[in-house]
Amino acid sequence: MSMLSLAYFSPLPPARTGIADYSRELLPFLARRARVTLFTDAPPTDDVRSLAQYPLADYGFRRWGYDAALFQMGNSEHHAPMVRVFRRYPGILVLHDAVLHHFLADQTAGRGNFPAYARELGYEMGNAGIHLARDIQYQRQPHPLFAMPLTRRLLDLSLGILVHSQYAATRVRAHTNHPVGIIPALIDIHPGQPRREQLGMPAHTLLLGSFGQITAARQMDVTLAAFARLRQTHPHAHYLIVGDVHPEVDLPGLIAAHDLAAHVTHLGYVPNLAAFVDWIGSVDVVINLRYPTAGETSATALRALAAARPLIVSDDGWYAELPDTIVLKMPPRRDPDALLPLLRHLADHPDRQRAMGEAARAYVAVHHQGGAVADAYVAFVARVLRQLHEAAHA
């Protein structure tokens, strides 16, 4: 089979979304296995400058030059321009979140366009969705952001769907008969340079950390409540938070409520990926709780594993699929009492920290490296094209 020619749609750096970083890491591997052309209105950066690039508006008349189009899709507003292209010229959808309600609610009701939101809910649920949209508009009901995926329209338009976990595949298959494939999310293992000394803390400090945007689903209220209690027995512990904070989370209020101002450092958003990875590698333990889940596969969690950091996650969604040898899991509920024993266990057992970290790095090296991921992309695209050809000639 000749090399595939692929049109590629995705946010790209410096867009503040993990999918931009994902594409930056995937594209060099994919470009060695297929002829890849980027369709984006973003100015080219050094990471992708070697690839052909056209504005989004050009795809309509250039589309016949490609075997297939790949659309990297998540809940960020950065996906809005490419979704408009996808709705006219569908392709293969790569779903980084099995729930897209956050994105569609923001693009419609969030901008005052409740008729458009009603159309999306109506497409998903029928007349009940239209009535629900009216109740939401008049604040009689909350947005069912996690309970209602709002993916049906995009799934119906797609030629095939790729996801990153069995959990996401199960949710997607419940709403479509199109081909669904599972491809592990890739992650590069960066060597990293610890930056711990920049915090000016004693060498014996037990440093815990959370990384990425802090949303309500990240359960920072639970984490800081458990951390405050951990300090009663481990007064040398300190907490590092790297990432911006969603307006729904009052981080200063949470810190003050537990009298942790001297024991929590919040660095905010770190735009440089290498520096972000350095900070992950600087802590002793990473806490990455997510509940409820939108079916995402966390790049931050994978970066922690690649950095050989012991990791605590919620036992839900993709996180539940991670081996128990590389993560500790707490029940998916808001319960500091469930998190505290896990923190104490790792704090009291540095040998367990090292063993988990070594197993984590080995796991990522086997399951999440770029070459194998790019091979799986090409194989799935070829499978979809073959099935379309067979259906056309049946």
Side-chain angles (χ1 to χ4, degrees):
M1 181 179 177
S2 61
M3 182 176 283
L4 291 171
S5 182
L6 301 176
Y8 191 94
F9 297 79
S10 174
L12 296 168
R16 290 171 64 164
T17 165
I19 297 176
D21 292 326
Y22 172 90
S23 285
R24 174 171 54 185
E25 293 181 336
L26 171 65
L27 282 166
F29 294 100
L30 192 60
R32 290 196 285 270
R33 293 157 174 83
R35 291 186 295 274
V36 178
T37 300
L38 303 179
F39 283 88
T40 174
D41 292 332
T45 63
D46 291 339
D47 302 294
V48 298
R49 200 177 297 276
S50 62
L51 299 177
Q53 180 172 326
Y54 295 104
L56 288 169
D58 284 10
Y59 181 66
F61 64 85
R62 293 185 181 276
R63 68 189 188 280
W64 306 111
Y66 304 98
D67 296 303
L70 289 171
F71 292 81
Q72 304 285 348
M73 185 63 201
N75 271 301
S76 162
E77 64 180 357
H78 297 287
H79 297 274
M82 71 173 214
V83 167
R84 289 191 285 271
V85 177
F86 180 85
R87 285 179 167 177
R88 286 194 72 182
Y89 310 111
I92 293 173
L93 190 65
V94 187
L95 271 182
H96 292 258
D97 300 299
V99 174
L100 296 178
H101 201 137
H102 299 74
F103 168 78
L104 288 165
D106 172 72
Q107 293 295 306
T108 55
R111 294 157 199 266
N113 190 349
F114 275 91
Y117 185 54
R119 285 194 294 272
E120 294 303 323
L121 280 172
Y123 192 95
E124 190 98 356
M125 302 172 61
N127 286 335
I130 297 172
H131 294 305
L132 176 60
R134 186 180 298 114
D135 286 342
I136 292 170
Q137 180 178 6
Y138 294 105
Q139 300 181 353
R140 294 192 292 263
Q141 293 280 352
H143 291 279
L145 293 175
F146 290 96
M148 185 59 57
L150 280 194
T151 53
R152 189 180 297 275
R153 188 189 299 275
L154 295 185
L155 296 179
D156 285 351
L157 289 171
S158 68
L159 303 180
I161 305 100
L162 283 168
V163 295
H164 299 311
S165 69
Q166 184 60 56
Y167 173 85
T170 298
R171 294 199 66 166
V172 168
R173 285 176 178 139
H175 298 285
T176 184
N177 292 319
H178 294 317
V180 178
I182 302 173
I183 292 182
L186 88 163
I187 212 77
D188 275 351
I189 297 181
H190 298 278
Q193 296 294 325
R195 297 171 175 246
R196 191 181 180 109
E197 69 283 354
Q198 295 181 27
L199 300 177
M201 296 181 305
H204 69 280
T205 299
L206 173 67
L207 188 58
L208 294 80
S210 292
F211 302 85
Q213 187 184 48
I214 304 302
T215 63
R218 296 292 299 273
Q219 297 190 327
M220 193 53 62
D221 54 340
V222 172
T223 301
L224 291 181
F227 173 68
R229 291 170 59 186
L230 175 72
R231 292 200 73 262
Q232 295 173 9
T233 54
H234 298 77
H236 59 297
H238 194 88
Y239 209 97
L240 175 66
I241 301 172
V242 180
D244 56 13
V245 180
H246 193 278
E248 66 188 353
V249 178
D250 178 14
L251 183 60
L254 292 174
I255 292 172
H258 297 288
D259 195 22
L260 290 173
H263 311 295
V264 174
T265 298
H266 178 215
L267 296 184
Y269 176 73
V270 176
N272 183 279
L273 178 59
F276 183 74
V277 173
D278 288 349
W279 282 115
I280 291 175
S282 301
V283 304
D284 299 299
V285 177
V286 175
I287 294 90
N288 192 345
L289 305 184
R290 296 281 188 96
Y291 185 76
T293 177
E296 72 282 347
T297 292
S298 170
T300 298
L302 286 173
R303 295 193 193 285
L305 298 176
R309 299 298 90 189
L311 179 65
I312 299 175
V313 298
S314 301
D315 193 8
D316 189 41
W318 165 77
Y319 309 90
E321 298 174 25
L322 293 169
D324 293 339
T325 53
I326 65 173
V327 297
L328 297 182
K329 301 169 184 173
M330 68 166 278
R333 59 178 184 265
R334 293 188 176 276
D335 184 3
D337 290 338
L339 177 58
L340 182 59
L342 305 183
L343 297 180
R344 284 177 173 162
H345 175 75
L346 290 176
D348 292 337
H349 297 89
D351 54 336
R352 181 73 192 281
Q353 294 180 32
R354 288 189 293 271
M356 287 179 63
E358 291 169 2
R361 188 190 293 268
Y363 177 85
V364 170
V366 170
H367 296 284
H368 293 276
Q369 288 309 289
V373 169
D375 286 340
Y377 264 95
V378 171
F380 183 79
V381 172
R383 169 190 159 196
V384 170
L385 294 175
R386 184 171 59 253
Q387 290 180 354
L388 289 172
H389 178 80
E390 291 171 353
H393 293 84

